Amino acid sequence: MKRLTLYVAIFLVALSAKAGDKEVEQTMRRATQYMMDVASYKGGFVWNYLPDYSRQWGELEAWRTMVWLQSPGTPDIGQVLLDAYHVTGDEYYYDSACKVARCIIHGQQPSGGWNYMFDYESEETTKRWYATIGRQAWRLEEFQHYYGNATFDDEATMHSAEFLLRIYLEKKDPEFHAALQRAIGFFLKSQYENGGWPQRYPLMYDHPFRGQADYSSFITINDDVMPRNIDFLIQCYTSLGMEELREPILRAMYCMRDLQQPLPLAGWADQYSVKDRKPAHARSYEPRAVNTGTTVAMIRQMVEFYKMTGDKSFLQGIPNAIRFLERQQLPDEWVSMLGRRPLGEGDIFLPRFINPDNGKPMYVHRKGSNVVNGEYYTDSIPQGTIAHYSSFYSANPEALRQLLRETEALDAKQLQENSPLKQAATSGPQECYYRRPMGARRQFGMPSVDAVISSLDEQGRWLTVFNQISNPYQPIPSTMPASSEDRSYAQKMVGDEYDTSPYENRSVKGISTRTYIWNMVMLMNYLRNRK
């Protein structure tokens, strides 16, 4: 379980760097001033900007007045600013973090939660964005319909609430207390009696899609909705002393335990219908299924819940879950046949989606070229599956069994005695809080501190090649046929020129919040290591 006291910066800087502390601090300050004074819009950020700000992107192309809350967006910048404040003691960073917090509060909905993004101009502007850019993002169906409510998906609400919690704990400034309380209330109001959470709230059912019911009210594990919601409530419990949060935390934990399906398909799904807690569908390429990847994640989650509570019931379903995974094993020769990476020692190759009715694998494909003529579908053919959402997964059953053995060897009474849920406590803000997954950066090598400093240009920008861009929006002609058998876009990240979905970029450069975050974390770790 990732908790407030366990968040750490996840890579270290070589101590052999030539840069001095003053030069590092000056670089951090110049880069931050550019981001706050030029890149941000009233304290808010998207993900990427062209140098002339003629185009910018969050998960999709955004308008200049938009603020993106999905990572690596506005809350992430706020976390880095607070880290910089801790490392340097410079009040400029705290003041900048407060500006970010006020922006996030501006986007907070009356319910207390947040959408993926908001637009400072007006809600009508947001609706127009959904009706144009969002509507034509073929593979990002969550943006094709304007709900007007808040979402737990992609941790948009959780990241925003978590940042408000941290900035409030810094100085207990009452300016942030009311918004934080509204956010906590949102987590509590939206929780079902059985302990689960929907993907969006307040509940809405107005978007049946492709003959399927609106999935936004289903109990959702996908994208860590339930695990991260539990995580946030635990942070509030352990830092604010809110004893009343213990019951909803435990109710959610036991709900996740009980969402495991019975034998022979003793795994977990991504989402569930509320009444019977059976697997349910989501987007077109997320069929109603027991998911092997989610099952591995939930095995590890059950281990963490046991460590937090000492309740052995969290471990009881793990042996059956491992057996379920083993029964799904595909032939090893399929790995190379399907162009997958070689398996690691002890790994087995699995279909991701298992039909809960007959136990057979389902593989996801698509045809057509855009939202009008395109279609996702599942069948029994493993070749030619979509590229942006893998129909396969690899797992290591013996490693999972070893994890279970090691966990069962722990002293349950001691775990119960030391449980963070035993009694609510009040603790102050923690240093070394921020964390970013750095796997993608490691693929291209880690730059030195001197390289990070020298790459900052005269304006205070770290220009970088974006990981993704998209086609500019243009309306789909009314003469476009309603369906197509075209398979040329079946395994591509983007369809035709009308598809606004992002795709891989290798040349376009600009200002990236991700690069700013990475470089700031590197420089801050350098300063920490020098102390």
Side-chain angles (χ1 to χ4, degrees):
M1 174 62 65
K2 305 182 189 79
R3 296 173 52 223
L4 184 61
T5 56
L6 295 180
Y7 277 80
V8 293
I10 49 76
F11 69 97
L12 299 176
V13 178
L15 293 176
S16 59
K18 298 177 182 179
D21 293 4
K22 184 175 182 181
E23 188 177 11
V24 170
E25 292 189 16
Q26 288 175 341
T27 301
M28 290 169 55
R29 180 70 179 257
R30 286 183 57 223
T32 301
Q33 286 176 327
Y34 178 85
M35 293 298 288
M36 293 301 302
D37 297 345
V38 182
S40 80
Y41 190 87
K42 298 183 179 180
F45 296 86
V46 293
W47 294 0
N48 296 313
Y49 308 83
L50 289 182
D52 64 357
Y53 293 90
S54 58
R55 296 183 73 191
Q56 48 272 312
W57 293 265
E59 189 166 13
L60 291 173
E61 183 164 4
W63 293 333
R64 184 65 178 121
T65 51
M66 277 184 156
V67 173
W68 224 264
L69 300 170
Q70 291 168 285
S71 183
T74 304
D76 301 73
I77 297 288
Q79 298 284 15
V80 167
L81 292 171
L82 288 180
D83 271 0
Y85 171 60
H86 276 260
V87 171
T88 65
D90 187 343
E91 289 288 334
Y92 167 77
Y93 292 108
Y94 177 76
D95 293 341
S96 297
C98 289
K99 185 176 181 181
V100 171
R102 295 183 191 107
C103 167
I104 290 173
I105 292 170
H106 180 84
Q108 187 175 26
Q109 298 189 358
S111 64
W114 288 264
N115 191 23
Y116 301 108
M117 91 299 283
F118 65 90
D119 196 309
Y120 261 109
E121 185 169 325
S122 69
E123 193 66 12
E124 292 303 314
T125 307
T126 303
K127 292 179 182 179
R128 189 164 67 251
W129 181 91
Y130 269 92
T132 53
I133 294 173
R135 172 69 181 84
Q136 290 186 198
W138 185 16
R139 68 177 175 84
L140 292 171
E141 294 175 355
E142 63 269 35
F143 293 109
Q144 293 177 18
H145 176 71
Y146 172 82
Y147 281 99
N149 58 3
T151 184
F152 289 116
D153 188 38
D154 285 352
E155 304 180 29
T157 286
M158 194 284 302
H159 279 310
S160 299
E162 190 175 56
F163 174 62
L164 289 185
L165 172 64
R166 188 186 179 198
I167 199 166
Y168 171 71
L169 290 173
E170 284 291 338
K171 297 185 178 182
K172 300 292 180 67
D173 190 330
E175 178 183 5
F176 307 120
H177 186 258
L180 173 60
Q181 290 299 317
R182 287 197 301 272
I184 295 171
F186 177 80
F187 282 77
L188 299 179
K189 288 183 298 185
S190 59
Q191 187 180 27
Y192 288 120
E193 289 186 10
N194 63 21
W197 275 282
Q199 188 189 75
R200 305 189 67 98
Y201 188 83
L203 299 176
M204 299 184 74
Y205 308 91
D206 65 342
H207 187 50
F209 186 71
R210 307 275 185 186
Q212 299 267 38
D214 190 320
Y215 64 85
S216 64
S217 65
F218 294 160
I219 297 171
T220 304
I221 291 178
N222 191 30
D223 283 335
D224 287 335
V225 167
M226 286 192 64
R228 295 296 278 127
N229 285 4
I230 293 170
D231 185 25
F232 173 69
L233 292 182
I234 290 174
Q235 291 180 34
C236 294
Y237 180 85
T238 57
S239 63
L240 299 174
M242 298 182 67
E243 187 67 39
E244 66 270 26
L245 298 183
R246 186 175 186 274
E247 187 277 332
I249 290 169
L250 289 172
R251 182 156 39 102
M253 288 180 172
Y254 290 123
C255 176
M256 289 185 66
R257 178 199 64 187
D258 296 340
L259 289 174
Q260 183 180 9
Q261 298 301 287
L263 287 171
L265 305 181
W268 280 263
D270 285 329
Q271 49 277 320
Y272 299 79
S273 57
V274 178
K275 290 184 178 180
D276 60 10
R277 292 191 286 189
K278 297 296 184 183
H281 68 275
R283 292 175 293 188
S284 297
Y285 44 87
E286 295 170 322
R288 175 177 165 266
V290 180
N291 188 319
T292 56
T294 300
T295 297
V296 172
M298 288 304 100
I299 289 172
R300 298 186 181 280
Q301 190 69 67
M302 293 302 109
V303 166
E304 293 304 312
F305 287 168
Y306 172 68
K307 290 178 179 179
M308 293 180 61
T309 63
D311 186 340
K312 292 185 178 180
S313 71
F314 288 116
L315 304 182
Q316 290 174 354
I318 292 179
N320 284 343
I322 296 174
R323 284 193 286 271
F324 158 69
L325 294 172
E326 290 176 321
R327 289 169 181 160
Q328 310 310 316
Q329 183 174 4
L330 298 170
D332 288 346
E333 55 266 28
W334 282 29
V335 176
S336 57
M337 179 187 73
L338 296 171
R340 304 288 157 171
R341 293 180 181 178
L343 295 176
E345 184 177 355
D347 287 350
I348 60 174
F349 192 51
L350 308 168
R352 180 180 295 273
F353 300 115
I354 307 299
N355 189 317
D357 296 326
N358 57 27
K360 295 182 179 180
M362 296 184 291
Y363 302 104
V364 183
H365 306 266
R366 74 177 183 179
K367 59 184 179 180
S369 63
N370 58 51
V371 295
V372 170
N373 64 26
E375 178 186 1
Y376 287 90
Y377 61 96
T378 62
D379 60 23
S380 60
I381 301 172
Q383 292 89 354
T385 57
I386 58 175
H388 65 83
Y389 203 104
S390 178
S391 288
F392 304 94
Y393 193 79
S394 61
N396 191 317
E398 182 51 38
L400 294 173
R401 285 197 175 93
Q402 179 60 27
L403 174 63
L404 177 59
R405 288 192 291 268
E406 293 171 355
T407 305
E408 288 175 329
L410 299 175
D411 188 325
K413 290 184 178 180
Q414 187 175 11
L415 293 174
Q416 293 167 6
E417 183 64 28
N418 297 329
S419 172
L421 296 176
K422 184 177 181 180
Q423 184 175 354
T426 303
S427 61
Q430 302 295 318
E431 293 193 34
C432 304
Y433 170 92
Y434 192 73
R435 51 102 180 146
R436 288 294 314 152
M438 297 299 293
R441 187 131 199 212
R442 287 199 179 101
Q443 291 178 11
F444 302 99
M446 298 295 293
S448 68
V449 170
D450 294 313
V452 169
I453 292 173
S454 63
S455 65
L456 192 73
D457 70 11
E458 292 182 357
Q459 296 183 48
R461 306 174 301 180
W462 278 306
L463 296 181
T464 187
V465 176
F466 301 147
N467 58 340
Q468 292 184 328
I469 57 172
S470 65
N471 295 322
Y473 169 75
Q474 53 179 319
I476 297 177
S478 58
T479 55
M480 180 71 66
S483 63
S484 172
E485 295 301 317
D486 184 1
R487 297 297 199 280
S488 59
Y489 299 100
Q491 293 184 281
K492 295 181 180 180
M493 298 295 287
V494 67
D496 60 24
E497 67 270 28
Y498 302 108
D499 185 4
T500 57
S501 303
Y503 58 89
E504 185 177 5
N505 166 61
R506 297 182 182 274
S507 59
V508 178
K509 298 179 68 174
I511 299 97
S512 162
T513 55
R514 188 185 302 274
T515 297
Y516 168 77
I517 289 167
W518 281 348
N519 289 346
M520 286 289 287
V521 171
M522 171 168 276
L523 297 179
M524 286 188 286
N525 273 304
Y526 172 83
L527 293 177
R528 290 189 184 109
N529 291 332
R530 297 275 289 178
K531 292 180 179 179

